[in-house]
Amino acid sequence: MSRDVFLPDADATEALGAALARTRPPRAVVYLEGDLGAGKSTLARALLRALGVAGAIRSPTYTLVERYPVPGGEAAHLDLYRLAAASELDFLGLDELSTEAGLWLVEWPDRGQGGLPPADLHLRLSVEGAGRRVRLVPGSPEGEAWLARVPS
């Protein structure tokens, strides 16, 4: 069961991020998919902000991984756009992340194919007029239960 949501503006993106934060399971992997400028980082920031991350939320475009303390543990925001091959994931310390981070937000997951944990939820973003459209697609039973808790 997937769901399409139109995000006409920044407020709608913030609202979706807040809904995902309120309903998230204790451990989850989210793949943020879409072209450049589709709103992947914006939605990740909205979710992190709703989880209580204060201060700057940097895009991990150059660092590849940014980690944030959140209630119940840690969130990891990964941007794999600059990876040339999935084998480069070995240098990111993902083994440590898998034990410490309860939430993974992964942009450009296709660049790390085979080296990432499977997604519980896929957020497929696209530009639509002045707004964005996001298709929420569960990738696991936990993701299905999560999506069922997100208000329509």
Side-chain angles (χ1 to χ4, degrees):
M1 134 189 106
S2 65
R3 184 184 311 166
D4 280 358
V5 178
F6 180 65
L7 305 171
D9 54 29
D11 289 342
T13 302
E14 294 289 328
L16 178 59
L20 289 168
R22 274 192 315 275
T23 57
R24 79 176 174 97
R27 299 192 64 77
V29 176
V30 178
Y31 287 0
L32 295 126
E33 303 162 334
D35 292 335
L36 285 171
K40 298 177 297 293
S41 292
T42 302
L43 185 53
R45 273 191 213 94
L47 203 161
L48 290 167
R49 188 73 64 213
L51 287 172
V53 175
I57 297 177
R58 295 177 300 277
S59 172
T61 301
Y62 295 100
T63 58
L64 302 181
V65 179
E66 292 289 338
R67 298 165 75 163
Y68 300 95
V70 296
E74 184 176 79
H77 182 191
L78 293 80
D79 184 333
L80 306 181
Y81 181 74
R82 297 194 179 284
L83 288 189
S87 61
E88 293 179 39
L89 288 171
D90 296 341
F91 302 105
L92 298 183
L94 297 186
D95 291 338
E96 179 185 320
L97 271 183
S98 65
T99 59
E100 295 179 6
L103 176 64
W104 290 43
L105 302 172
V106 184
E107 296 185 44
W108 301 99
D110 55 313
R111 307 273 172 115
Q113 194 168 24
L116 294 170
D120 295 299
L121 193 59
H122 298 261
L123 303 179
R124 297 181 177 144
L125 292 113
S126 59
V127 174
E128 187 171 306
R132 304 291 184 265
R133 180 160 302 276
V134 60
R135 173 167 276 186
L136 297 91
V137 181
S140 71
E142 292 82 8
E144 235 173 87
W146 184 8
L147 185 55
R149 291 188 300 270
V150 175
S152 295

